[in-house]
Amino acid sequence: MKTIWQGPIEKIDDYRWCIPKSYKSGMLVDGVIYADEKMLGDICKDKAAEQVANVAFLPGIVKYSMAMPDAHWGYGFPIGGVAATDVDAGGVVSPGGVGFDINCGMRLVRTNLKEKDLAPKLKDLVYGLYNDVPAGVGSKGDIKITGSDEKKLLVEGSKWVVDHGYGRQEDLEYTEERGAVKGADPDSVSPRAYERGKNQSGTLGSGNHFLEVQVVDEVYDGTAAEVFSLEKGSVTLMIHSGSRGLGYQVCDEYSKDFLHCLSKYGISVPDRQLACAPVNSDEGKAYLGAMRCAANYAWANRQCLMHLARGVFEKVFNMGPKDLGMDLVYDVAHNIAKIEKYNINGKERTLCVHRKGATRAFPPGHPEIPEKYKKCGQPVIIPGDMGRNSYLLVGTKRAEETFYSTCHGAGRLMSRSAAIHACRGRSISRELENKGIIVKSSGRETLAEEAPEAYKNVNEVVSVVEGAGISKRVCRMRPLGVIKG
Amino acid sequence: MTKKYEQFSHTADIGARIYGKDLKELFENAAFAMFDIIADLEGLEATVARAVEVEGEGYEELLVSWLDELLYNFYTKSIIFSKFEIWEFSEKKLKAKIYGRPVGVNRNRLKTEIKAATYSGLEIKKTAEGYQVEIIFDV
């Protein structure tokens, strides 16, 4: 595919590229793309760079409109986009800067198991997970929540489900925001959003959502790995899911409402999916109240999924929770808007940080990370494609320049239809089985859509964020068993 | 029969280019395209019908509202819709009867989970044959 981007791009250093604000009238700040030369080429093959420039129009945006190395063409924002707006200087919040899958995110669980323990039981484990964890389009969870409990779940998030038997109290300690961000307002969530979320708690979803059994195959930072109780050969479980229908409906309704805010607040943006409203307006507050409900729902959902998966491990290995040691390493969102404080030109400012397909990466010592992790920094969970690797990283001080944000995954290289076309006549599950990876999927075409070659190489993405100094490798995992929606 | 729609390449999501001889047909074909992506509609016999009504400011907003209304009905009523008859149509409002079949317990017709229809780059264009629009679905 040829290069679509024809605009200016200036090299800052080996990992940073600038789209100057002179590119388009209306850009308030420069755009910055984190990539090496090769990845920049991929990013410029679709409309992602144009979208980086479009995001620079958002009122109140500070520093830069940024894209991480896994960036690709999204809707409104690029996937992999980061933008912060100054709340007290008319800064806006845009539902399109969070996305439909509010608090889509990652969870990493450690175990006491080693690769050799897993080998004889791998098939049973994958089939067990496939049977016990509801996945796929239209799937329904077995967790039924009604009436006033629904509102409680949206406010209390993970805690509510833990209190009702889905996991352990200590899981909350290792979840971003302890699994419930403050300021959730259940009255800002429409009856329709409740209705779409009702039967979906504890369901994985479909498309790129997954559950993966992995083994740590490389350790880069032994000290940090030890803090996370991981070593070479350790078996891990990774979960990727979000807020399901509830989040989609919230984004949908507020995106529509916010179209009317553009004229009301005199805002001009080049794409309707960038519709936004000032954070301090009634509309902005209502959206954030609803978005936080969806975020809490997503944390509760991943908590349920982990609980279901722990049950399957206990059954298959005939071991108790203590012997299995399935402790949560961390859970972190990669589609969310957060209110955070930063020093901008010598003054502390309150910012609304949009991370759309980007992961929060707080540095060592940050007050919002678990006590046990204070010395090494916040864990950052980066999934790759199902045939190659995934990573555990930690945040760094230098990432202040990205509002402590980093990449979120490999990022797609091929469209879904191109991937299906490329895989015609092939059995992806057999190809993976030959590499020792067992996969199960509920969707007919999911495996082809999610074929490894459809993604960028996560190893290259991670080497860019490490090279740029915005996060640091702790260990690398290799997939053994994969359940796709 | 003329082509109702075709998919176009989009890196992360699914793009559909929809055709219609008039705006009403464009809207009906957009609905068909969305469900054709969601499920296997081949030979699907409609057994249930529902009435829907949506409002919007202008045709483009109305189009997204229409598709999102259908998605809401699909997810909450568990019905795959395959036939769409718009009987009242203006720039601000449409009323339609939609026909489909319950998803069923084994969900064997379902292919893709569409989260929403997006406004990104959406523009209804007049062509020599009628109308055309490109829609990006978040999947």
Side-chain angles (χ1 to χ4, degrees), chain A residues 73-122:
Chain A
W73 185 13
Y75 42 90
F77 271 60
I79 310 297
V82 176
T85 60
D86 188 332
V87 173
D88 300 313
V92 293
V93 60
S94 171
V98 173
F100 286 93
D101 199 356
I102 296 167
N103 189 2
C104 187
M106 300 301 307
R107 179 170 282 233
L108 181 71
V109 185
R110 70 165 300 280
T111 72
N112 288 338
L113 299 168
K114 293 282 173 283
E115 189 177 8
K116 59 173 176 14
D117 308 321
L118 198 67
K121 302 260 188 182
L122 182 60

Side-chain angles (χ1 to χ4, degrees), chain B:
Chain B
M1 206 180 81
T2 49
K3 189 158 40 170
K4 289 182 179 172
Y5 84 101
E6 65 195 346
Q7 283 193 33
F8 66 86
S9 192
H10 183 284
T11 325
D13 298 310
I14 291 179
R17 190 172 298 117
I18 325 275
Y19 305 97
K21 65 177 186 313
D22 52 31
L23 284 167
K24 187 168 90 66
E25 193 184 83
L26 185 79
F27 274 53
E28 290 169 346
N29 288 349
F32 176 85
M34 185 172 74
F35 280 96
D36 199 38
I37 292 165
I38 291 173
D40 177 5
L41 300 183
E42 188 82 39
L44 183 121
E45 272 179 52
T47 55
V48 285
R50 294 185 64 84
V52 297
E53 197 180 316
V54 288
E55 292 178 13
E57 296 288 324
Y59 286 116
E60 287 165 359
E61 196 183 317
L62 188 68
L63 177 60
V64 176
S65 299
W66 156 243
L67 295 173
D68 286 340
E69 180 70 23
L70 297 173
L71 275 182
Y72 162 78
N73 273 277
F74 163 64
Y75 283 113
T76 56
K77 318 293 180 231
S78 292
I79 298 168
I80 301 171
F81 296 100
S82 55
K83 204 174 122 197
F84 311 88
E85 285 172 7
I86 297 174
W87 58 274
E88 195 186 308
F89 189 63
S90 74
E91 202 173 346
K92 295 202 159 175
K93 193 173 183 172
L94 74 79
K95 290 181 181 177
K97 212 155 177 203
I98 56 175
Y99 303 87
R101 208 194 75 177
V103 168
V105 259
N106 61 3
R107 303 186 277 127
N108 59 351
R109 277 185 178 267
L110 298 178
K111 296 189 297 194
T112 308
E113 181 179 70
I114 290 184
K115 292 173 186 154
T118 76
Y119 292 95
S120 200
L122 186 100
E123 192 188 344
I124 297 176
K125 287 180 189 151
K126 182 92 182 72
T127 62
E129 294 78 31
Y131 288 90
Q132 178 188 317
V133 67
E134 288 183 356
I135 303 173
I136 295 170
F137 293 105
D138 183 17
V139 294

Side-chain angles (χ1 to χ4, degrees), chain A residues 13-14 55 159 213 222 250 275 328 354 376 407 457 467 471:
Chain A
D13 62 27
D14 287 349
V55 169
K159 179 181 179 298
V213 182
V250 166
L328 178 58
H354 298 74
C376 51
C407 61
N457 186 345
S471 13

